[in-house]
Amino acid sequence: MFDRRIEGWVTLDAILFEAIYTNNKTIEIQVNPEFDSAQATLEASTYAYEIGKLPAILIKDVETVWIHLGVKPFGGGNQNLLIHTGQGELYIKDGILEETLVHEASHTSLDTEHASSPEWIVAQQKDGNYISTYARDNSSREDIA
């Protein structure tokens, strides 16, 4: 699992959960064992529910979710969504949890196919505008998300 608190990969005996959605999509949720069993279950259930509200196109390539403690940004890509629960609490407080999950799931399920496609690059050039300064300043990796 990737852990932004150390900006690196960790090997853990994660607490595993399986989220099964109505479209027969299954995602393995891997919770850092720093959580006790009850808290791991709560975190997995909370985020499985929120992820389940995303459009199917955004979770088509999501195979795993990694959940850690900490106040570090969420992440997407590598068939995964990365969650740090302290940051998640801030996103909830600010009313942007859903927006953040859409953003990260876009990295996971849309970037590989579209971000570097010639058609997307031509569309970027023709448009000349971006949804945010973040997308503009990081157009090769943040425009779709």
Side-chain angles (χ1 to χ4, degrees):
M1 303 166 72
F2 192 83
D3 187 336
R4 284 198 197 272
R5 294 171 297 179
I6 62 166
E7 286 300 325
W9 296 92
V10 294
T11 302
L12 304 168
D13 289 326
I15 304 166
L16 304 178
F17 299 89
E18 191 173 68
I20 302 169
Y21 299 100
T22 56
N23 62 354
N24 293 319
K25 173 68 178 173
T26 300
I27 297 173
E28 182 177 87
I29 300 179
Q30 304 169 359
V31 181
N32 190 311
E34 64 197 347
F35 293 94
D36 65 29
S37 180
Q39 190 64 36
T41 300
L42 178 62
E43 298 295 348
S45 296
T46 297
Y47 287 103
Y49 176 76
E50 294 298 331
I51 291 165
K53 294 193 289 184
L54 297 175
I57 191 73
L58 294 183
I59 62 170
K60 73 179 181 66
D61 292 338
V62 177
E63 294 179 6
T64 57
V65 174
W66 300 323
I67 299 178
H68 302 285
L69 285 170
V71 180
K72 293 291 182 177
F74 283 19
N78 300 312
Q79 288 84 43
N80 178 267
L81 296 173
L82 169 64
I83 293 168
H84 285 275
T85 59
Q87 188 68 46
E89 292 170 13
L90 296 175
Y91 291 150
I92 291 167
K93 180 181 171 205
D94 292 341
I96 62 166
L97 177 63
E98 295 85 359
E99 176 183 341
T100 302
L101 289 171
V102 165
H103 177 98
E104 300 305 344
S106 294
H107 283 306
T108 304
S109 294
L110 300 179
D111 278 357
T112 302
E113 185 175 346
H114 300 290
S116 61
S117 74
E119 296 87 355
W120 185 263
I121 293 168
V122 167
Q124 280 180 316
Q125 293 166 346
K126 284 183 178 179
D127 181 33
N129 290 306
Y130 295 91
I131 196 166
S132 67
T133 55
Y134 184 61
R136 182 198 66 212
D137 295 346
N138 302 281
S139 63
S140 65
R141 65 179 172 84
E142 296 295 341
D143 191 34
I144 288 177

